[in-house]
């Protein structure tokens, strides 16, 4: 098959390139880091603008979407990219929140940025321990081990109640907006910005690594461990790496939550949280960071819708407390049955259809 | 070829593997010359795939040694082989199903990458150069195999013959010195089979190839040397003409219930 001129080409066109030397468009490779930084900057500006349009409670919710997205995105790296499963990701949020609380209480001079870095380090260390211990576990065994972590770790707060504050947790004060901006920016607004800035920095790292060699290694391991190993990929070590990064993200998300609320309590890192994170990931869509975004949105706003529904029905509090969970669970089942690839999968299929029109 | 026998690329000596009571391999030895095609044949269950598993470190033999380029391979793990220059295709396809054809082959080129963990995380260092070089290298191999136009397709959407080519491209993209092929022709049409024979011959100009195959036409056509396994033992070895004439080989094949696919 040689490339020939179209029949209706004018014969005088002698300079037409005859055998164009395989002008297949080379896959273009954009500078990944710059692209991601630019996208993150845009997103941050969007969040800043949004906080001016909404009230203080909504600002808190925006911040919550941010750190939940980070936790889900970390889980996404583990579940969607490397094919491991964790039912205990809330445990790493617990670690981050308590690391933050303890630092603020015992070393109030440490600046916020340093606390955030510290919680990432602590989370990664915990990830190394857990990841190495569970490296040889697959499927249900890994799920079981991480489940035990989610149940066991918050219990520590009760056991070491003199340090970790028991079931009431730790209460502390964190500075909000800097005094120079008083009157212009509310504390809630400022905290939402700080949290989204932190989250976006972490997401840039996640997006960059997913796009490159490490992400490909993880996906290869997820699809076929034997073939990945034959391609020279150290399977065990790479899986632990994914676990550690994912734990670091969870811990940082926990730190953001503690910073926002000024508390760290064991009940906010229950097994239900771990399961909700995983459910939100599936709901949002496995395999893309966008899935984490939709998942976080769903987690915050479906819970809200569930609460409103319970109020509307005038249910007693013992029933009403469970309505959001039931609501979320039902929606999860419906959405996953309708769109097995989650919200992101459905949206990308939709945009594909629209573009083809 | 060279007048004196070149030093072997790989030597397998006295390899014995038992799975419970089953002797999958007993005292198996073979020598693989560089730039040659060695056929490894035998009826179903003879131990051919098991021998590949031993060579690639998936299965630990009870006894026996493997030497690659004069250096013994001891307690080696599968992921170390790519960097030594050993590649393998699997009896199944073992493609990465949720990755595009291009990404499948880029993973095969992973050993050529230079970035280290910090660079992979941050996009700094050799990240960008790796992306460019590995992609270019993979695209070049896809062109070579005539599958560049499906670079962005998912393997499962392609006809079986093309999927087989993707698997082969993935194994070859890092330019190994030894290629282990486990039944590359199974499920191929006649035309694809002819392409495969040409590819194997082309490979053997730069690397040693070990070919496990049931299609005797292909084996007799491309192999310089053939080793016949039966119930885990080497029952015959030599050039195609010798193996073809050996009554023990005919008996081993006739004794099996499954009649091997006789050509087309
Ligand atoms: N991991 C294992 N555990 C137990 N038995 C095994 C294992 N792997 C292979 N076997 C057995 O070892 C014997 C040799 O198997 P092998 O797969 O090496 O045969 P083969 O020559 O590749 O056959 P085929 O042509 O069917 O692919 C078979 O009886 C098989 O059932
Ligand atoms: Mg086999």
């Amino acid at each position: 098959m040689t490339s020939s001129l179209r029949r209706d080409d004018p014969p005088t066109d002698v300079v037409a390139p005859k055998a164009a030397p395989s002008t297949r468009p080379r896959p273009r490779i954009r500078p990944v880091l710059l692209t991601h930084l630019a996208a993150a900057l845009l997103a941050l500006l969007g969040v800043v603008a949004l906080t001016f349009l909404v009230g203080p409670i909504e600002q808190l919710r925006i911040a919550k979407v941010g750190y939940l997205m980070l936790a889900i995105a970390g889980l996404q790296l583990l579940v969607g990219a490397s094919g491991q499963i964790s039912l205990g990701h809330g445990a790493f949020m617990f670690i981050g929140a308590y690391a933050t609380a303890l630092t603020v209480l015992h070393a109030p001079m440490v600046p916020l940025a340093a606390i955030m870095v510290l919680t990432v380090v602590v989370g990664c260390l915990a990830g190394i321990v857990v990841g190495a211990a569970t490296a040889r576990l697959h499927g249900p065994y890994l799920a079981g081990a991480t489940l035990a972590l989610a149940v066991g770790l918050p219990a520590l707060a009760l056991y070491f109640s003199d340090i970790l504050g028991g079931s009431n947790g730790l209460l502390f004060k964190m500075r909000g907006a800097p005094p120079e901006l008083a009157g212009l920016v509310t504390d809630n607004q400022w905290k939402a910005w700080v949290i989204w800035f932190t989250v976006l920095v972490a997401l840039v790292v996640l997006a960059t690594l997913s796009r490159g060699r490490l992400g490909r290694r993880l996906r290869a391991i997820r699809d076929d461990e034997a073939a990945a190993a034959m391609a020279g990929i150290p399977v065990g070590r790479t899986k632990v790496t994914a676990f550690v990064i994912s734990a670091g993200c969870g811990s940082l998300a926990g730190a953001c939550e503690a910073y926002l609320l000024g508390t760290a309590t064991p009940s906010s890192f229950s097994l239900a949280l771990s399961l909700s994170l995983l459910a939100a990931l599936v709901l949002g869509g496995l395999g893309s960071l966008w899935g984490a975004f939709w998942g976080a949105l769903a987690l915050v706003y479906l819970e809200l819708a569930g609460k409103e529904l319970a109020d509307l029905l005038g249910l007693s509090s013992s029933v009403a407390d469970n309505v959001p969970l039931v609501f979320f669970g039902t929606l999860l089942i419906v959405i996953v049955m309708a769109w097995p690839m989650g919200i992101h999968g459905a949206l990308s299929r939709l945009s594909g259809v629209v573009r083809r029109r | 070829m060279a007048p004196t026998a070149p030093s072997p690329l790989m030597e397998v000596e006295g390899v014995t593997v038992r799975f419970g009571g089953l002797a999958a391999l007993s005292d198996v030895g073979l020598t693989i010359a560089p730039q040659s095609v060695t056929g490894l044949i035998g009826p179903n269950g003879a131990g051919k795939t098991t021998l590949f598993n031993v060579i690639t470190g998936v299965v630990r033999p009870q006894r026996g040694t493997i030497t690659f380029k004069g250096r013994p391979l001891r307690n080696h793990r599968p992921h170390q082989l790519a960097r030594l220059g050993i590649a393998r295709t699997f009896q199944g396809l073992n493609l990465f199903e949720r990755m595009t054809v291009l990404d499948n082959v880029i993973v095969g080129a992973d050993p050529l990458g230079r970035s280290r963990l910090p660079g992979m995380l941050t996009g700094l260092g050799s990240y960008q150069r790796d992306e460019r070089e590995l992609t270019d290298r993979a695209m070049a191999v896809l062109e070579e195999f005539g599958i560049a136009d499906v670079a962005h397709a998912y393997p499962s959407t392609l006809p079986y013959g093309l999927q087989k080519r993707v698997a082969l491209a993935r194994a070859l993209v890092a330019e190994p010195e030894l290629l282990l092929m486990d039944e590359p022709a199974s499920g191929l049409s006649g035309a694809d089979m002819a392409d495969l024979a040409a590819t194997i011959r082309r490979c053997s100009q730069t690397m040693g190839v070990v070919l496990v195959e049931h299609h005797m036409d292909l084996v007799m056509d491309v192999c310089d040397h053939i080793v016949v396994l039966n119930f885990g033992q080497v029952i015959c070895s030599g050039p195609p003409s010798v193996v073809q004439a050996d009554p023990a080989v005919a008996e081993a094949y006739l004794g099996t219930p499954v009649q091997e696919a006789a050509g087309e």
Side-chain angles (χ1 to χ4, degrees):
Chain A
M1 290 182 292
T2 55
S3 63
S4 58
L5 298 173
R6 271 178 291 132
R7 251 184 312 175
D8 53 352
D9 271 346
T12 50
D13 191 9
V14 282
V15 286
K18 260 194 292 184
S22 145
T23 48
R24 201 183 299 286
R26 279 245 241 84
R28 239 167 68 83
I29 294 163
R30 263 178 272 134
V32 174
L33 181 60
L34 286 183
T35 314
H36 291 155
L37 283 175
L41 189 64
L42 274 181
L44 187 61
L45 291 178
V47 167
V48 169
L50 197 60
T51 56
F52 280 109
L53 302 177
V54 298
I57 297 188
E58 208 56 41
Q59 289 164 354
L60 283 181
R61 290 198 192 111
I62 290 173
K64 190 172 180 189
V65 168
Y67 68 74
L68 284 179
M69 178 180 178
L70 175 57
I72 299 170
L75 203 54
Q76 157 72 28
L77 185 78
L78 195 69
V79 182
S82 86
Q84 296 169 276
I85 190 152
S86 169
L87 297 182
H89 227 58
F92 295 109
M93 288 183 72
F94 170 89
I95 289 173
Y98 273 80
T100 305
L102 290 174
T103 315
V104 174
L105 288 173
H106 297 290
M109 300 311 295
V110 180
L112 182 60
I115 295 179
M116 296 290 187
V117 172
L118 181 82
T119 55
V120 173
V121 172
V122 171
C124 286
L125 288 177
I128 291 174
V129 174
V130 179
T134 56
R136 296 184 171 273
L137 301 180
H138 283 259
Y141 302 100
L142 183 58
T146 51
L147 185 72
L149 192 69
V151 176
L153 210 55
L156 277 185
L158 307 180
Y159 191 77
F160 297 105
S161 55
D162 37 345
I163 310 170
L164 300 180
S167 61
N168 291 330
L170 299 172
L171 223 97
F172 52 95
K173 187 114 192 72
M174 295 212 79
R175 224 184 55 175
E180 303 86 63
L181 294 178
L184 297 170
V185 175
T186 66
D187 278 357
N188 279 1
Q189 226 176 342
W190 178 258
K191 285 187 172 177
W193 297 357
V194 169
I195 286 174
W196 269 90
F197 176 81
T198 311
V199 167
L200 286 167
V201 168
L203 287 178
V204 164
V205 173
L206 284 179
T208 305
L209 80 87
S210 303
R211 186 63 95 67
R213 198 166 165 216
L214 185 55
R216 254 190 326 267
R217 286 178 165 193
L218 291 172
R219 292 191 290 278
I221 289 172
R222 170 198 70 192
D223 283 0
D224 195 316
E225 285 193 13
M230 248 352 264
I233 297 169
V235 173
R237 197 158 13 109
T238 310
K239 278 171 129 177
V240 175
T241 305
F243 204 94
V244 171
I245 296 169
S246 153
C249 291
S251 181
L252 186 58
C256 289
E257 176 170 338
Y259 165 69
L260 182 69
L261 304 178
T263 61
T265 53
S267 61
S268 40
F269 304 101
S270 60
L271 179 61
L273 171 68
S274 293
L275 298 181
S276 306
L277 292 176
L278 195 62
L281 173 62
V282 175
L283 183 71
L286 277 169
S288 155
L289 282 180
W290 280 105
F293 176 65
W294 301 122
L297 268 185
L299 211 51
V300 172
Y301 286 97
L302 288 184
E303 192 186 69
L304 188 67
K307 273 207 191 93
E308 280 170 1
L309 186 71
D311 287 350
L312 209 68
L313 299 176
L315 296 170
S316 71
S317 76
S318 61
V319 180
D321 284 351
N322 290 313
V323 166
L325 215 61
V326 173
F327 190 65
F328 187 73
T330 315
L331 232 105
L332 177 72
I333 294 169
V334 170
I335 290 188
V336 170
M337 277 172 72
W339 306 311
M341 299 307 294
I343 299 173
H344 178 65
L347 288 178
S348 37
R349 182 133 24 103
L350 195 71
S351 77
V353 169
V354 169
R355 222 174 297 147
R356 240 173 284 136
R357 286 275 151 100
Chain B
M1 285 238 175
T4 55
S7 62
L9 184 61
M10 176 172 276
E11 277 185 295
V12 174
E13 279 173 304
V15 166
T16 298
V17 173
R18 264 184 231 99
F19 293 119
L22 176 87
L25 293 173
S26 339
D27 197 22
V28 169
L30 60 92
T31 302
I32 301 156
Q35 296 168 27
S36 74
V37 183
T38 305
L40 182 61
I41 63 172
N44 292 111
K48 306 178 293 292
T49 300
T50 303
L51 185 58
F52 273 13
N53 284 340
V54 170
I55 293 175
T56 54
V58 176
V59 168
R60 290 255 174 272
Q62 271 78 26
R63 255 186 300 117
T65 58
I66 296 160
T67 319
F68 182 64
K69 297 204 287 183
R71 290 221 324 254
L73 290 183
R74 222 175 279 124
N75 294 326
H76 58 298
R77 309 270 313 272
H79 73 262
Q80 296 162 336
L81 294 182
R83 241 159 236 94
L84 292 175
I86 301 176
R88 169 187 188 174
T89 66
F90 294 85
Q91 188 164 346
L93 283 166
N94 290 62
L95 289 173
F96 307 123
E97 285 301 330
R98 282 181 279 170
M99 301 174 75
T100 62
V101 165
L102 178 61
D103 273 350
N104 265 272
V105 179
I106 296 180
V107 171
D110 189 82
L112 305 175
R114 283 178 247 187
S115 50
R116 308 188 59 84
L117 190 60
M120 290 189 227
L121 293 179
T122 55
L124 303 172
S126 309
Y127 182 104
Q128 212 60 44
R129 185 174 45 174
D130 270 359
E131 288 306 290
R132 199 170 345 99
E133 287 182 1
L134 299 191
T135 308
D136 284 353
R137 179 88 197 94
M139 271 320 276
V141 173
L142 288 179
E143 298 260 6
E144 223 173 281
F145 278 80
I147 43 179
D149 49 339
V150 292
H152 299 288
Y154 287 89
S156 57
T157 63
L158 303 179
Y160 192 74
L162 290 195
Q163 295 190 43
K164 278 272 196 191
R165 278 198 234 176
V166 177
L168 192 52
R170 181 181 66 185
L172 285 172
V173 66
E175 297 184 335
E177 286 180 72
L178 175 64
L179 174 65
L180 308 171
M181 306 172 92
D182 203 343
E183 306 199 11
S186 69
L188 290 192
S189 69
D192 281 341
M193 197 96 81
D195 275 350
L196 176 66
T199 306
I200 293 174
R201 269 195 225 95
R202 185 158 48 87
C203 286
S204 71
Q205 295 179 351
T206 54
M207 63 188 86
V209 178
V210 183
L211 175 66
V212 166
E213 223 356 291
H214 285 298
H215 290 85
M216 284 310 135
D217 297 350
L218 178 68
V219 171
M220 295 303 163
D221 182 18
V222 299
C223 290
D224 303 303
H225 186 88
I226 296 175
V227 176
V228 188
L229 279 181
N230 194 21
F231 293 114
Q233 287 177 314
V234 177
I235 57 166
C236 174
S237 109
S241 55
V242 171
V243 170
Q244 247 168 335
D246 193 324
V249 176
E251 196 183 317
Y253 270 95
L254 290 177
T256 56
V258 182
Q259 187 67 32
E260 62 100 4
E264 284 83 50

